Amino acid sequence: MCGIAGIYRYRNEQAVLASEIEQMISVINYRGPDGDGIYTDVELGLGHKRLTIIDTSERSNQPMISADTQHIICYNGEVYNYLEIAKILSEENVQLATSSDTEVVLQALKLKGEQALQDFNGMYAFAYWNKQEKSLLLARDRIGIKPLFYKLTAEGIVFASEIKSILAIESEVEKQDTARVNVGLIDSYMSLGYCPSENTLFKGIKKLPAGHFLSIKNGEVNIRQYWDIKYCREQDRGEAHYINQIQTLFESSVKLQLRSDVPLGVFLSGGVDSSAVVAMMSKLGIKDIKTFSVAWDYGKDFDETQYARKVSQQFKTDHTEYFMNADDFKNFLPDYIRHMDEPVTEAAAISLYYLAKKTREKVTVVLSGEGADEVFSGYSIYKFMDMVNQYKKVPKLLRKGITPIIKALSNKLGKYAELSNFELEQSYAGVSFYDEKIKRKLYTNDFLSYADHNSSFSVLKPYYDRMQGHDNQAKMQYLDIKTWLVDDLLVKADRMSMAASLELRVPFLDHRFLQLSAILPLRYRHKGMISKYLLKKAMEPYLDNDILYRKKQGFPTPLAVMFKGPLKDYVASILLSKKTNERGYFNSQVVKLLITEHAAGSQDHHKILWQLLVLELWHREYID
């Protein structure tokens, strides 16, 4: 795992200085504390920070140059099936000088060009320079596990693993530009808690989308998609068939991701997903597995360690725990904002950092259960939206009389019943969406008018457009994989693990799992109220029922408790300040009311207060 950065001045062919590349990679030292390298070729410059994982010798340092000096790669990530690709290369008489996956990727690209991307199973973002053709290829893995940002400039292109590397070489004029904020994305952020789509909150800086590559040749920039999930529900082949498929694929995925020349372990929450990873490692014969858990010292609602310990005892792992408190949370907030680059309201990221830091004391690589909820429909909202779809079949006039009764019995179910009046595209904005009414009260009149023309639904529309003709469950899954997963969860996973110089691997996000989920008959998405039904059935031979079938807890952060306790004054001091009010986005009187109601316990506004706090701290770190 590493960090990359580069400049290509293809427009004016002005030379790139090594000092410029050094400036870019110096701000991401934590991504690669084991070494660095710089390559320049007149108008092109590449920089690399290395965290050694496979072939730890200096011969695998980067940027890596081919023997004929015409092909160069600057690469972040792992291609897990590199041994299989190396075998194919040997059949083509390609000689390898190292045992690293980096050289395999370089030689595969040299042999097949962009077509080599179809062969890679892994997480990666890289820059590949063909000196002879004067062509640059930037690519990002199928799922978007590894990040890659870029900015097209008057001179050419600047790109990097993190936005801060691009900001590091901005001119003084750019740094003083008060219009650097992409204000059109703020409504999306306030609706979702992150910034979806290829744009970022920094005007002009974009994300290369997952499963895409960007090529530059003869002064032309082309962005193309090389992989996407293909939804086509197959005829039901029976539960046993799909359970067997999941078991076989999971074993293959974990086995591939265990390839490492440095120590590795597992993040173990005690939930189904991470416990399944430990169980499969044990099945594959791995001994002395090192597992790591984190919890909050705020009672049983924020502590799953008893389940993690149970799994640890079953598989005799070397287990480590870390307990968080409010001081940990507050102390890391400035670093959290800095590391995430964009505002992302993923509070669990902060505890993930402390866990990663503790884990790094013993291992360099860690596996986690991230992604299983997206693959196997683990979120309860999928079941509720399925119920909404069934409720729509009731005549509209009848629903008009029934819905108030449902709402009187259960406010939550009542809100879902109200969604039956809308099409899915208007009613479902992702796993993390919430009541739009509060948000609209919060905006100033001027900003409300602006937001209406730059709403979150307009940003999400392209994903729904691509899924026309597919079932609602497929539409929701596709939207969440392309937005919530890649722009929130995987950002959290990458930034917090890399901040601790730790490589994080995610076996459930092997692209073969995603494709399998896209063909599964709908009845296997969930069974009754049992989510991730097929995964749980597949793991029954290895895990006890009280791990598999207990109520999903996730990893909640006690924001609600902290925001009316030890962090109450801190939140008020930031959100009610003159500086925050002068942004012009939010009505300060409404913000004050939200803080007051939350502190009094009459309403729970912790989610929106957290969003406001992160957005303001981001402005202070990156804009002011």
Side-chain angles (χ1 to χ4, degrees):
M1 198 60 58
C2 311
I4 66 172
I7 304 170
Y8 182 26
R9 295 191 172 119
Y10 62 89
R11 295 186 191 274
N12 62 6
E13 298 186 350
Q14 182 181 332
V16 175
L17 304 177
S19 59
E20 294 177 284
I21 302 299
E22 171 59 32
Q23 207 171 341
M24 293 182 76
I25 63 175
S26 66
V27 297
I28 53 170
N29 282 329
Y30 45 83
R31 292 192 77 96
D34 299 330
D36 53 48
I38 292 173
Y39 170 88
T40 57
D41 182 11
V42 192
E43 69 271 31
L44 175 97
L46 299 174
H48 188 263
K49 297 295 300 184
R50 186 183 183 199
L51 179 65
T52 55
I53 304 295
I54 295 174
D55 189 350
T56 59
S57 66
E58 291 185 2
R59 63 185 180 177
S60 289
N61 284 349
Q62 296 184 49
M64 183 177 282
I65 305 171
S66 63
D68 63 5
T69 72
Q70 298 302 299
H71 303 268
I72 297 91
I73 192 168
C74 194
Y75 161 62
N76 167 33
E78 306 288 349
V79 168
Y80 302 119
N81 62 332
Y82 73 101
L83 294 177
E84 288 75 14
I85 298 172
K87 187 177 179 181
I88 295 170
L89 290 173
S90 69
E91 292 169 358
E92 297 286 341
N93 296 316
V94 175
Q95 301 296 314
L96 298 174
T98 74
S99 58
S100 71
D101 63 324
T102 304
E103 188 182 11
V104 170
V105 172
L106 174 60
Q107 293 296 341
L109 290 167
K110 180 182 175 183
L111 184 68
K112 298 176 66 174
E114 63 202 37
Q115 291 302 314
L117 293 165
Q118 303 297 334
D119 301 329
F120 298 160
N121 181 331
M123 53 177 185
Y124 52 82
F126 62 74
Y128 166 62
W129 174 242
N130 186 321
K131 185 174 182 178
Q132 192 172 18
E133 295 182 357
K134 275 189 169 298
S135 65
L136 179 69
L137 179 70
L138 304 179
R140 192 175 180 197
D141 67 71
R142 289 172 167 92
I143 317 302
I145 302 168
K146 290 291 104 184
L148 188 58
F149 298 91
Y150 70 95
K151 182 179 183 179
L152 296 174
T153 69
E155 298 175 329
I157 190 171
V158 185
F159 56 90
S161 295
E162 297 188 17
I163 291 174
K164 59 181 65 66
S165 292
I166 298 174
L167 300 178
I169 58 163
E170 280 189 337
S171 67
E172 288 306 312
V173 173
E174 288 174 305
K175 288 176 182 176
Q176 292 169 19
D177 182 2
T178 55
R180 288 168 66 202
V181 182
N182 186 358
V183 183
L185 264 182
I186 287 182
D187 181 69
S188 294
Y189 166 78
M190 290 304 298
S191 291
L192 305 172
Y194 58 92
C195 298
S197 83
E198 65 180 0
N199 294 306
T200 73
L201 215 52
F202 294 93
K203 190 172 287 187
I205 299 180
K206 294 178 175 287
K207 313 161 193 168
L208 184 62
H212 283 65
F213 67 79
L214 182 155
S215 61
I216 304 176
K217 188 175 182 180
N218 299 324
E220 290 188 12
V221 179
N222 289 296
I223 299 177
R224 283 175 51 197
Q225 185 171 27
Y226 68 87
W227 185 85
D228 200 5
I229 308 167
K230 294 181 175 62
Y231 284 88
C232 182
R233 303 291 184 197
E234 70 176 20
Q235 186 174 351
D236 196 338
R237 301 170 69 178
E239 185 176 293
H241 169 79
Y242 297 114
I243 289 172
N244 180 259
Q245 271 197 305
I246 289 168
Q247 290 172 334
T248 302
L249 181 50
F250 188 40
E251 182 170 341
S252 170
S253 177
V254 172
K255 190 173 183 179
L256 281 175
Q257 296 196 24
L258 288 175
R259 290 176 174 174
S260 171
D261 291 334
V262 294
L264 51 79
V266 184
F267 283 159
L268 176 61
S269 68
V272 176
D273 312 331
S274 60
S275 299
V277 174
V278 174
M280 186 53 68
M281 287 175 66
S282 179
K283 181 179 183 294
L284 288 168
I286 306 300
K287 306 295 183 186
D288 302 319
I289 301 169
K290 291 178 170 56
T291 54
F292 304 87
S293 297
V294 64
W296 287 88
D297 60 357
Y298 275 88
K300 64 179 182 179
D301 290 340
F302 304 95
D303 183 359
E304 290 187 287
T305 52
Q306 60 173 312
Y307 301 107
R309 288 176 200 144
K310 179 179 174 63
V311 175
S312 173
Q313 290 164 6
Q314 180 183 348
F315 296 103
K316 298 179 173 58
T317 74
D318 175 4
H319 191 57
T320 301
E321 295 176 350
Y322 184 83
F323 284 86
M324 295 276 298
N325 57 47
D327 285 339
D328 287 334
F329 186 87
K330 183 180 176 182
N331 291 341
F332 188 66
L333 261 180
D335 289 322
Y336 167 72
I337 300 298
R338 195 173 304 118
H339 280 297
M340 295 296 274
D341 278 342
E342 286 192 276
V344 179
T345 52
E346 189 58 48
I350 295 178
S351 46
L352 178 61
Y353 168 76
Y354 282 97
L355 176 62
K357 188 178 177 183
K358 194 72 177 174
T359 301
R360 188 62 173 88
E361 295 174 5
K362 292 188 176 182
V363 302
T364 312
V365 177
V366 67
L367 278 66
S368 87
E370 198 79 81
D373 284 320
E374 286 68 33
V375 172
F376 295 106
S377 308
Y379 299 115
S380 60
I381 192 169
Y382 292 140
K383 289 177 284 189
F384 284 117
M385 293 304 292
D386 201 22
M387 291 163 60
V388 169
N389 199 41
Q390 296 300 317
Y391 186 53
K392 279 182 181 179
K393 296 175 183 178
V394 176
K396 193 170 184 178
L397 195 61
L398 196 55
R399 273 188 278 133
K400 193 174 180 180
I402 297 173
T403 298
I405 300 172
I406 295 174
K407 195 165 186 178
L409 295 171
S410 168
N411 190 50
K412 181 178 180 179
L413 291 178
K415 286 181 179 179
Y416 281 109
E418 288 176 342
L419 294 179
S420 66
N421 296 316
F422 305 95
E423 292 301 313
L424 183 72
E425 288 80 354
Q426 283 75 49
S427 63
Y428 185 74
V431 169
S432 62
F433 81 108
Y434 66 94
D435 192 344
E436 293 282 305
K437 294 173 186 175
I438 298 177
K439 183 186 70 174
R440 294 185 67 81
K441 289 178 183 176
L442 191 62
Y443 291 164
T444 61
N445 290 334
D446 288 344
F447 190 69
L448 179 60
S449 176
Y450 184 86
D452 283 340
H453 292 90
N454 297 272
S455 71
S456 59
F457 292 109
S458 65
V459 175
L460 301 180
K461 186 178 183 299
Y463 302 105
Y464 278 117
D465 288 346
R466 287 177 215 160
M467 292 298 288
Q468 287 298 318
H470 292 285
D471 59 77
N472 283 353
Q473 289 286 322
K475 289 178 181 178
M476 290 189 290
Q477 183 189 39
Y478 187 81
L479 179 73
D480 288 330
I481 287 170
K482 295 296 181 177
T483 57
W484 160 254
L485 176 67
V486 71
D487 294 325
D488 184 304
L489 298 184
L490 292 177
V491 173
K492 168 198 73 176
D494 173 80
R495 301 305 189 282
M496 295 300 100
S497 59
M498 283 282 84
S501 304
L502 180 74
E503 176 171 298
L504 177 60
R505 297 179 177 181
V506 281
F508 284 113
L509 290 180
D510 184 308
H511 67 275
R512 296 172 295 171
F513 263 128
L514 288 167
Q515 193 51 58
L516 174 61
S517 73
I519 66 170
L520 285 175
L522 274 176
R523 77 187 191 96
Y524 297 119
R525 292 275 287 175
H526 46 260
K527 197 157 189 176
M529 294 306 289
I530 302 175
S531 61
K532 293 188 283 195
Y533 173 73
L534 282 179
L535 175 61
K536 290 173 180 177
K537 293 296 290 184
M539 295 311 298
E540 278 185 355
Y542 314 106
L543 294 169
D544 293 342
N545 283 355
D546 59 348
I547 295 295
L548 290 173
Y549 295 105
R550 70 182 177 87
K551 184 179 178 182
K552 181 181 176 66
Q553 185 171 338
F555 187 69
T557 303
L559 289 175
V561 180
M562 292 191 292
F563 284 179
K564 58 184 176 185
L567 299 183
K568 179 180 68 174
D569 293 340
Y570 172 74
V571 171
S573 69
I574 299 292
L575 298 187
L576 299 179
S577 69
K578 181 182 177 183
K579 181 180 285 190
T580 303
N581 188 42
E582 287 175 347
R583 307 276 180 213
Y585 306 141
F586 310 113
N587 185 317
S588 61
Q589 292 305 310
V590 177
V591 174
K592 186 174 183 179
L593 179 63
L594 293 175
I595 292 171
T596 303
E597 287 181 344
H598 186 83
S602 60
Q603 297 287 335
D604 182 359
H605 296 305
H606 79 271
K607 184 172 182 179
I608 200 162
L609 292 176
W610 173 231
Q611 285 180 291
L612 293 169
L613 181 64
V614 170
L615 183 63
E616 176 56 28
L617 292 176
W618 175 81
H619 274 82
R620 295 185 184 192
E621 172 65 29
Y622 282 108
I623 305 304
D624 299 342

